[in-house]
Amino acid sequence: MKKKAVINNTPVCQVRMQAISDTMSILSGKWKFHILGTLIEGEKLGFMDLLREIDGIGSKMLSKELQDLESNHLVSRTVMDTKPITVNYAITKYGVTLSPIINELAKWGIAYRKSLHGSK
Amino acid sequence: MKKKAVINNTPVCQVRMQAISDTMSILSGKWKFHILGTLIEGEKLGFMDLLREIDGIGSKMLSKELQDLESNHLVSRTVMDTKPITVNYAITKYGVTLSPIINELAKWGIAYRKSLHGSK
DNA sequence: CAGGATCCTTTACGATACTG
DNA sequence: CAGTATCGTAAAGGATCCTG
């Protein structure tokens, strides 16, 4: 039988699972990764840029997802005082720390797509 | 202005974003990562083991999520012919390739939880 | 332009009870 | 034991219209 690692009377795996749940709750939703990936790639983008860049998203969802991300300090929002106002979104330094996750997801997805068979 | 990488007339970032979407569609749902993480940790587990191990999940969800994972060849299902039948679930070699993603998620979650402030 | 308000459809999720 | 069936709720997502 495998010996289980324990810290402070709590199995390590439970700590890990909890951490994963926490992470995913912040990144839940259909568009979070797409938005984050786009912002990491694009540096600074306006609302319309994102709307164009992210295929299929509507303005309501984009707005809502951006608010979620901003409230978690993963993206920043800057209102420019132009004639009709303009808003720039950018990834924060904190948001950039998600890069490893995003890179792994992309890497795996690319590998996976190659080995797709008939499954749904 | 940043020069954009292009392969076969398709921006690299679009390929990445698509790959991420594909990956996440396979891993969507409240319990996928938890199940995968538990199976990676536990090697071989029965249905009841998983039900006990994964706090809060019900048998319906567990069953459904396992079927999803099995249809994507990430876990294997083995029926044992015991008196009342028993089923063992295990991570496949293919499923293990998700480890880097899971590790990054856990790592980030642990770092994130340390820096939580008042935000929801 | 950047969203908010409304309304509506579709999944996701969960509790309970049942079966080979 | 390992699920499936049924039912009900809640959340997610989307289309459209409206406004400072």
Side-chain angles (χ1 to χ4, degrees):
Chain A
M1 171 123 44
K2 199 175 178 182
K3 186 136 185 285
K4 292 187 180 178
V6 172
I7 295 177
N8 293 342
N9 212 24
T10 305
V12 167
C13 61
Q14 276 187 34
V15 174
R16 275 172 53 87
M17 290 305 119
Q18 185 57 51
I20 291 172
S21 296
D22 290 349
T23 304
M24 288 313 296
S25 74
I26 288 168
L27 301 174
S28 68
K30 194 174 174 180
W31 305 103
K32 296 266 163 55
F33 282 110
H34 206 136
I35 293 172
L36 288 168
T38 304
L39 286 174
I40 287 176
E41 166 84 12
E43 302 184 3
K44 265 187 199 309
L45 295 171
F47 191 85
M48 286 307 274
D49 295 328
L50 288 168
L51 213 48
R52 247 179 278 106
E53 206 71 29
I54 300 173
D55 197 63
I57 200 171
S59 82
K60 177 195 155 183
M61 274 302 121
L62 178 56
S63 172
K64 188 225 159 209
E65 299 284 71
L66 283 170
Q67 281 170 25
D68 287 353
L69 293 172
E70 193 197 355
S71 83
N72 283 308
H73 311 280
L74 296 172
V75 312
S76 67
R77 178 177 180 277
T78 314
V79 181
M80 315 299 286
D81 65 340
T82 49
K83 321 81 187 260
I85 64 160
T86 294
V87 180
N88 278 336
Y89 288 93
I91 192 91
T92 62
K93 255 198 160 98
Y94 190 49
V96 174
T97 63
L98 289 169
S99 292
I101 295 175
I102 293 175
N103 288 337
E104 288 298 334
L105 286 171
K107 197 160 70 177
W108 196 88
I110 289 167
Y112 178 79
R113 273 152 58 89
K114 283 184 192 162
S115 55
L116 270 184
H117 11 59
S119 67
K120 189 162 50 175
Chain B
M1 172 126 39
K2 200 175 178 182
K3 187 136 183 285
K4 292 188 180 180
V6 172
I7 294 178
N8 293 340
N9 211 24
T10 304
V12 166
C13 60
Q14 276 186 33
V15 174
R16 276 172 52 88
M17 290 305 120
Q18 185 57 49
I20 291 172
S21 296
D22 291 350
T23 304
M24 288 312 296
S25 74
I26 289 169
L27 301 174
S28 67
K30 193 173 172 181
W31 304 102
K32 296 269 163 51
F33 282 111
H34 207 137
I35 293 171
L36 288 168
T38 304
L39 285 174
I40 288 176
E41 166 84 12
E43 302 184 3
K44 265 183 199 314
L45 294 171
F47 190 84
M48 287 306 274
D49 294 327
L50 288 167
L51 214 46
R52 248 179 277 106
E53 207 70 30
I54 300 173
D55 196 64
I57 199 170
S59 83
K60 177 193 157 184
M61 274 302 121
L62 178 57
S63 172
K64 189 229 162 207
E65 299 283 72
L66 282 170
Q67 282 171 23
D68 288 353
L69 293 171
E70 193 197 354
S71 84
N72 283 308
H73 312 280
L74 296 172
V75 311
S76 66
R77 178 177 179 277
T78 314
V79 180
M80 315 300 286
D81 64 341
T82 49
K83 320 82 188 261
I85 63 161
T86 294
V87 180
N88 279 335
Y89 288 92
I91 193 93
T92 62
K93 252 192 160 99
Y94 189 48
V96 175
T97 63
L98 289 171
S99 292
I101 295 175
I102 293 175
N103 288 338
E104 289 298 336
L105 286 172
K107 196 159 71 178
W108 196 88
I110 289 167
Y112 179 79
R113 272 153 57 91
K114 284 185 191 159
S115 55
L116 270 184
H117 11 58
S119 67
K120 191 161 43 173

